[in-house]
Amino acid sequence: MSNTEINTFHGSDVEALAAHFNLDSTKIKSFASNVNPLGLSDRLKQELTANIEVITRYPERDYKTLRTAISKYVNAPIDNIIVGNGSTELISGIIKAVSPKDAILFAPSYSEYEREVGLNGGNIRYLPLKKELNWLIDENDLKNFIIPDTDLIIMCNPNNPTGNAFSTDELKVILNIAKEHGITVMIDETYIEFGADKERYEAIPLTAEYDNLVVLRGVSKFYAAPGLRLGYAITSSDRLKSSILNSKDPWSINSVAEKAGIIMFSDTEYQANVRDCTAKEMEYFKNTLEKTGKFIFYPSQANFYLIELTDTDKTSTDVFVHLVKQNLMIRDLSSFPYLGDSYIRIAMLNHEDNERLANALISYV
Ligand SMILES: Cc1ncc(COP(=O)(O)O)c(C=O)c1O
């Protein structure tokens, strides 16, 4: 396998990675999948186990109880909430619903959007996030980038893999530009709940004011439940709602995920705990590595950092390969547009694992 192939290992590809490097997959620590390391809360485990009989029933056809729980959690009307089989089903449903001719993606970003736009016959163009703006964009760049065919703007906020986020006020500027041109804006907030001051960055409150906005979230990362496949979207656009719902299969969320969601969204103790642990580890990791002068950290409102290697002859792929042989899996970002071969992405795990990774990085780079 060449370097260009090695650098495409996704965070969830632990099995493939283990096979390639002849490792025991159960020993690999994945700093690349961005999943919160605390695992499921005790409360969820107990309540879900006690309710395992839900498997013998169909979920609600309209998922009203689950949507009510989400409605309380995100403070948005239940009629504006659509649930899906992971945010992935909703990314697909939204892109199908908009069926964009020309979609703008703030890049580098998560790759699934591009695949979906392509599957629907649309064209996607990258608007580069600017390093000098800590990986945000200038509103004039957006204005100049819009063409008559543009009908969708896609952004991930906080962005994967750059970590930084536009504030709610900055999002308003983008939404106003989009509205002027009749453009729908899709914002993926998969990572927003990790942020200590997430209220400054949230787009959900804006769904009341902007009907050209749809916001997406899921439970895979923050609630450490990627196998559950549960996501949700919030929009006040009747056109989008009916179009997304019309293309969905009935019961696409199983009754275990339906029950788990109802429990998770009210588990305020767990939510606070995840945020606290993330904030502590983010601070520890940055402080430890930054003082060596070999790692540049960019602002992050997520549970991972975009880190630039500096003052070293090691590339991101060298670092990836070196670490993986010690069962430490990070994300080499050299396959992402605009990033070259000196960027890595690292999500926080528990303190002991983070310490091990920090030491391994310091001794190699
Ligand atoms: C930005 C982003 N959105 C969506 C997903 C997929 O989420 P889900 O498991 O909810 O389908 C991921 C997974 O890596 C992601 O990074």
Side-chain angles (χ1 to χ4, degrees), residues 36-38 73-74 189-202 217 221-223 232 264-283 300-303 348:
N36 143 34
L38 294 186
Y73 179 56
V74 301
E189 288 193 340
T190 289
Y191 296 101
I192 202 150
E193 291 144 287
F194 285 104
D197 53 351
K198 70 179 174 66
E199 286 75 17
R200 260 195 72 200
Y201 301 93
E202 280 177 320
R217 286 194 188 174
K221 312 295 183 177
F222 185 76
Y223 290 94
Y232 51 99
M264 282 167 165
F265 297 123
S266 66
D267 201 345
T268 48
E269 201 181 309
Y270 178 80
Q271 292 153 12
N273 195 17
V274 177
R275 260 190 285 284
D276 282 357
C277 291
T278 307
K280 275 194 202 114
E281 291 307 311
M282 293 288 279
E283 197 187 340
S300 174
Q301 323 311 323
N303 61 331
M348 294 300 99

Side-chain angles (χ1 to χ4, degrees), residues 188-361:
D188 181 343
E189 288 193 340
T190 289
Y191 296 101
I192 202 150
E193 291 144 287
F194 285 104
D197 53 351
K198 70 179 174 66
E199 286 75 17
R200 260 195 72 200
Y201 301 93
E202 280 177 320
I204 292 176
L206 300 176
T207 55
E209 203 180 322
Y210 292 90
D211 66 359
N212 61 332
L213 169 64
V214 53
V215 183
L216 276 169
R217 286 194 188 174
V219 303
S220 298
K221 312 295 183 177
F222 185 76
Y223 290 94
L228 198 64
R229 311 308 305 137
L230 178 61
Y232 51 99
I234 299 110
T235 182
S236 61
S237 160
D238 290 333
R239 187 184 52 80
L240 269 180
K241 277 187 262 182
S242 59
S243 178
I244 298 166
L245 287 173
N246 284 341
S247 73
K248 258 172 72 79
D249 291 329
W251 304 302
S252 69
I253 298 123
N254 66 61
S255 50
V256 175
E258 179 187 42
K259 185 70 195 172
I262 294 163
I263 302 163
M264 282 167 165
F265 297 123
S266 66
D267 201 345
T268 48
E269 201 181 309
Y270 178 80
Q271 292 153 12
N273 195 17
V274 177
R275 260 190 285 284
D276 282 357
C277 291
T278 307
K280 275 194 202 114
E281 291 307 311
M282 293 288 279
E283 197 187 340
Y284 157 77
F285 201 74
K286 180 169 184 275
N287 290 344
T288 308
L289 268 83
E290 238 177 13
K291 47 182 183 238
T292 66
K294 301 236 168 154
F295 305 91
I296 299 172
F297 281 71
Y298 291 94
S300 174
Q301 323 311 323
N303 61 331
F304 56 80
Y305 280 114
L306 174 83
I307 302 170
E308 184 177 356
L309 308 170
T310 183
D311 198 19
T312 174
D313 58 355
K314 309 286 189 332
T315 66
S316 52
T317 307
D318 294 336
V319 175
F320 172 83
V321 171
H322 176 81
L323 293 172
V324 90
K325 291 178 182 161
Q326 301 173 52
N327 289 318
L328 302 168
M329 180 185 188
I330 62 159
R331 188 69 159 104
D332 165 11
L333 296 177
S334 55
S335 66
F336 282 68
Y338 312 122
L339 291 182
D341 64 359
S342 57
Y343 291 90
I344 53 177
R345 188 193 67 206
I346 292 175
M348 294 300 99
L349 293 184
N350 66 36
H351 187 70
E352 194 190 337
D353 293 334
N354 296 336
E355 213 170 12
R356 217 179 113 205
L357 177 64
N359 291 336
L361 276 165

